Amino acid sequence: MKILVSGGGTGGHIFPALSIANGIKERHPEADILFVGAENRMEMEKVPAAGYRIIGLPVSGFDRKHLWRNVKVVVRLFKSMMKARKILREFQPDIAIGVGGYASGPMLKAAQKRGIPTLIQEQNSYAGVTNKLLAKRADAICVAYEGMERFFPADKITLTGNPVRQSILSCTLTPQEARRHYNLDPDKPTVLVVGGSLGARTINECVAAALNIIDMSGVQFIWQTGKLYDNAARAVMAEKKPQNVVQMAFVTDMDIAYRAADLVVSRAGASSISELQLLGKASVLVPSPNVAEDHQTKNARALSDRDAAVFVSDSDAETSLIKTVLDLIGKPEQLHTLEKNVAKMALRNSVERIVDRVDQLIGINK
């Protein structure tokens, strides 16, 4: 049984891909799984660290602001298509799974041309361009939101939810124990600020500018800056010396960080939202404006319209984000309402549902 998994670029694509691979391995220990990602992207590091083989394609994203640069993009795409065909000839997978990201387009397109069954996993409430193009010839489409038939053929859609890192669901610590893990006061309200694996400039700048206010607020912050903003954050922490803020480039124990937090401040990537739903966490969502189709705003609105999260636009964050957070953390009843409503939106057992579809496509009965 040979499985090809393609996609990546950010943690929001890589972690679901690894969750699917782990789910396949759990059910079919003999399965041979090969990842295909984009060269020089974080999957080339994260996937081998998780114990899987990966091959990189020289593909890159389309530059919408500087059209003249896309000559190189087209050349890389052509090279990627050629390499994708070579991978398929040599590996001969039974199925190709695409999770989004630069590499999934050329890889799944090549698989479809060879008649290899393809499954795409759309994580967002607004489908990306690549998945919309692949959907016409895909055999199965796994989605996390209702109403996706406006993008995809209805007869191919299965509502599965998004796979998340299983470790975040298995934390047995109390909130007090989790706060002690970060050397914080176990009884003080705590906010987790997380901008994704690469970081979120606007969110980081808002926290940095408000460190004096945060220091006097009595509210504790766990601040994940992302590796791109780590040095700048360290410098401002050394200058301001807030006693109630723990800063780090990357949270390795997200299960503990989530458990410590009364409120989460986050971008609105699909994986982050799925984690918040499964954990029933109150959140303030600040969608990134730098993503295709503005899909993070649509993800965030899917929650805020149901009173399952608080929405702050990136453009308003500078003046209102920290004020909104500190105001909300002092309203336990509103936090409880957000927790209750976001938990209602959770779709559980997503990996099992996706592996069920994989089995069906390649003719394996459970």
Side-chain angles (χ1 to χ4, degrees):
M1 182 178 179
K2 292 188 173 184
I3 311 289
L4 188 146
V5 182
S6 183
T10 66
H13 288 129
I14 297 163
F15 294 131
L18 288 170
S19 294
I20 294 170
N22 291 339
I24 292 170
K25 270 289 189 185
E26 189 172 328
R27 189 178 296 179
H28 306 291
E30 79 290 350
D32 185 5
I33 300 176
L34 174 67
F35 279 75
V36 178
E39 291 177 354
N40 303 316
R41 303 291 290 187
M42 65 183 294
E43 59 264 30
M44 302 306 293
E45 174 188 341
K46 298 291 184 185
V47 170
Y52 294 100
R53 292 182 296 142
I54 186 167
I55 298 173
L57 300 181
V59 66
S60 59
F62 191 76
D63 193 329
R64 302 176 191 215
K65 294 181 180 178
H66 309 96
L67 295 180
W68 57 272
R69 292 181 181 172
N70 289 305
V71 174
K72 288 183 178 178
V73 174
V74 173
V75 172
R76 291 189 190 116
L77 180 60
F78 178 76
K79 289 180 178 178
S80 296
M81 288 297 297
M82 298 298 289
K83 191 169 183 180
R85 291 173 195 158
K86 182 173 183 287
I87 291 168
L88 292 175
R89 282 196 307 270
E90 293 179 353
F91 186 59
Q92 298 186 346
D94 295 296
I95 189 171
I97 301 169
V99 296
Y102 299 140
S104 66
M107 197 67 246
L108 264 73
K109 193 72 176 174
Q112 289 174 345
K113 286 183 176 179
R114 284 179 64 94
I116 296 166
T118 57
L119 179 150
I120 58 178
Q121 199 257 325
E122 174 57 61
Q123 295 146 20
N124 296 292
S125 61
Y126 193 90
V129 173
T130 299
N131 277 351
K132 283 190 281 189
L133 292 171
L134 291 170
K136 296 171 186 175
R137 295 181 64 181
D139 296 277
I141 303 164
C142 295
V143 301
Y145 293 88
E146 295 178 348
M148 297 301 285
E149 58 272 4
R150 68 190 192 277
F151 304 112
F152 303 132
D155 61 335
K156 296 181 179 182
I157 294 174
T158 301
L159 183 64
T160 60
N162 282 325
V164 301
R165 293 168 282 185
Q166 290 305 300
S167 61
I168 70 159
L169 305 176
S170 58
C171 184
T172 58
L173 299 181
T174 65
Q176 291 74 23
E177 289 169 337
R179 289 170 198 148
R180 287 193 188 97
H181 176 81
Y182 291 104
N183 295 317
L184 294 171
D185 188 317
D187 300 315
K188 285 188 176 180
T190 303
V191 176
L192 170 62
V193 180
V194 55
S197 50
L198 300 177
R201 181 174 61 83
T202 301
I203 293 175
N204 285 330
E205 288 178 350
C206 289
V207 175
L211 282 178
N212 289 337
I213 296 171
I214 292 169
D215 195 24
M216 294 184 291
S217 70
V219 178
Q220 302 175 135
F221 276 62
I222 300 169
W223 181 21
Q224 179 197 285
T225 58
K227 64 180 181 179
L228 298 180
Y229 303 94
D230 185 40
N231 290 338
R234 286 172 182 266
V236 74
M237 285 286 291
E239 178 188 346
K240 300 291 180 66
K241 296 183 173 62
Q243 297 302 302
N244 53 343
V245 179
V246 177
Q247 180 270 327
M248 62 202 76
F250 193 76
V251 175
T252 54
D253 301 311
M254 275 302 295
D255 56 332
I256 301 177
Y258 274 132
R259 186 56 61 93
D262 298 293
L263 178 66
V264 179
V265 179
S266 175
R267 288 303 199 189
S271 291
S272 296
I273 285 182
S274 293
E275 291 176 350
L276 294 170
Q277 290 170 337
L278 287 164
L279 294 170
K281 280 291 175 184
S283 65
V284 176
L285 299 176
V286 187
S288 170
N290 306 311
V291 293
E293 313 281 342
D294 196 27
H295 67 255
Q296 286 204 7
T297 294
K298 298 174 179 73
N299 289 348
R301 288 295 188 195
L303 270 66
S304 64
D305 289 349
R306 293 171 173 83
D307 199 17
V310 172
F311 178 97
V312 174
S313 71
D314 193 84
S315 58
D316 291 338
E318 182 181 353
T319 55
S320 66
L321 177 59
I322 299 303
K323 181 180 182 300
T324 298
V325 168
L326 295 178
D327 182 54
L328 181 58
I329 199 84
K331 296 178 177 177
E333 288 185 9
Q334 188 177 351
L335 286 175
H336 180 66
T337 298
L338 293 173
E339 290 168 353
K340 183 176 64 177
N341 290 340
V342 76
K344 288 178 185 175
M345 298 180 69
L347 288 168
R348 303 185 185 278
N349 304 315
S350 298
V351 171
E352 289 81 358
R353 296 182 194 189
I354 293 170
V355 178
D356 285 346
R357 291 297 286 127
V358 171
D359 284 354
Q360 290 166 10
L361 290 178
I362 61 179
I364 292 178
N365 295 320
K366 285 176 64 177

